[in-house]
Amino acid sequence: MRRKLVVGNWKMNGGLSQNQLLLNSLTQQLKGLQGVDIAVCVPYPYLHQAKMLLAGSNIQWGAQNISRFSEGAYTASISAEMVADFGCTYALIGHSERRAASQESNHSAAQRFSQALHGGITPIFCVGETLTERQLGLAQSVVKNQVLAILNGLDSATFELGKYHHAVIAYEPVWAIGAKQTAQPSEAQEMHHFIRTLVSTYDADYAAALRLIYGGSVTPENASSLFSMPDIDGGLIGRASLDALKFRRICEAASPVTVVK
Ligand code: PEP
């Protein structure tokens, strides 16, 4: 049984005082919720604040990207070791907004994925097709190329020792991100099943344990039906993660323990 994971992606939102309110509210709202792993990925400047306010709670924290290099003359880049210094558990890798805005390729996403593993960070690797790609019937081949880029990019020691087995994959259809509508649970399930089957041809143990989370307009209203699908192991949550009550309801939907109200 895979333990579900719910991760908030704050994107470029927040500020010191606003974050303080949100982080304190999240720790209060989520206190005692069992059976689910919870994290928030905050903008880099607020990693220290997240560490200070979340340490000792049941909420972990992470970054929204990391460099594909480990150190050196890469102005404005942030390495995996640097975010690890701030106690991060996770880093998002290959989010579609990064792929679109900064032309991050499958190759560079694979490099970032490896850097995260070497830096002791659990990568949450984002994959997903655009609306045009889906309409052209290319959704599975696009996602396949994205997934194979990271698996084929692993060095032999990492592969042989299974050092990537904690890595998470997030299926985020680009057309459902920041949109009015989410993917139907059956549509999302179909792609999650496709990804798990693909990964199993590469490493069956990893495929069985792999946490495959769904992202794209998850709300308190649709979370339960998405999370009840057999291959959906939680969610990556954008807008709704900025509202502590909504985020709590989504985390509750991922918890196997019934919450008494
Ligand atoms: C995201 O950008 O990762 C995301 C899932 O956003 P939203 O929930 O707002 O669609």
Side-chain angles (χ1 to χ4, degrees):
M1 184 73 179
R2 293 178 296 268
R3 187 177 160 97
K4 285 197 167 35
L5 168 67
V6 178
V7 181
N9 174 13
W10 285 12
K11 309 194 184 193
M12 197 175 73
N13 290 297
L16 277 179
S17 50
Q18 204 179 330
N19 300 346
Q20 187 168 352
L21 289 173
L22 180 55
L23 290 166
N24 285 337
S25 176
L26 285 171
T27 53
Q28 284 305 313
Q29 293 290 339
L30 294 166
K31 202 172 172 179
L33 187 66
Q34 290 171 6
V36 55
D37 288 334
I38 303 166
V40 288
C41 289
V42 308
Y44 293 128
Y46 304 119
L47 286 174
H48 176 70
Q49 187 185 27
K51 182 180 177 188
M52 290 298 121
L53 295 178
L54 296 178
S57 77
N58 58 344
I59 308 171
Q60 295 172 304
W61 57 96
Q64 297 174 12
N65 200 5
I66 52 164
S67 172
R68 59 201 176 105
F69 304 108
S70 55
E71 64 178 345
Y74 303 106
T75 302
S77 296
I78 310 279
S79 71
E81 282 80 0
M82 290 174 181
V83 302
D85 274 346
F86 288 90
C88 287
T89 301
Y90 299 101
L92 303 180
I93 305 287
H95 191 282
S96 59
E97 287 160 10
R98 299 295 313 166
R99 291 179 189 262
S102 303
Q103 286 83 46
E104 286 183 15
S105 62
N106 278 346
H107 177 62
S108 95
Q111 290 176 306
R112 291 168 211 275
F113 184 86
S114 291
Q115 285 295 327
L117 294 177
H118 287 297
I121 297 290
T122 296
I124 300 174
F125 183 64
C126 304
V127 300
E129 79 287 356
T130 62
L131 184 59
T132 309
E133 288 163 344
R134 176 159 279 259
Q135 286 166 341
L136 289 171
L138 298 173
Q140 290 192 345
S141 67
V142 167
V143 169
K144 180 177 177 181
N145 286 337
Q146 292 169 336
V147 172
L148 290 184
I150 49 162
L151 296 180
N152 292 334
L154 294 173
D155 59 67
S156 52
T158 303
F159 177 65
E160 277 151 29
L161 296 172
K163 284 187 177 171
Y164 56 101
H165 280 190
H166 58 296
V168 175
I169 297 181
Y171 171 55
E172 296 208 299
V174 180
W175 46 271
I177 294 180
K180 287 205 178 82
Q181 244 190 330
T182 186
Q184 290 305 309
S186 56
E187 268 175 322
Q189 164 59 25
E190 191 183 2
M191 186 62 89
H192 281 231
H193 181 68
F194 171 75
I195 296 170
R196 199 178 303 284
T197 307
L198 174 66
V199 173
S200 74
T201 60
Y202 188 89
D203 180 339
D205 289 341
Y206 176 45
L210 167 64
R211 292 201 285 187
L212 264 171
I213 62 175
Y214 170 81
S217 300
V218 178
T219 63
E221 290 72 32
N222 61 29
S224 294
S225 53
L226 285 160
F227 298 165
S228 66
M229 294 288 126
D231 287 296
I232 301 185
D233 306 312
L236 180 54
I237 320 297
R239 284 156 298 169
S241 71
L242 298 171
D243 179 319
L245 282 176
K246 287 185 183 171
F247 194 61
R248 182 191 75 185
R249 288 175 58 203
I250 292 170
C251 293
E252 283 174 356
S255 168
V257 182
T258 310
V259 179
V260 183
K261 298 225 164 81

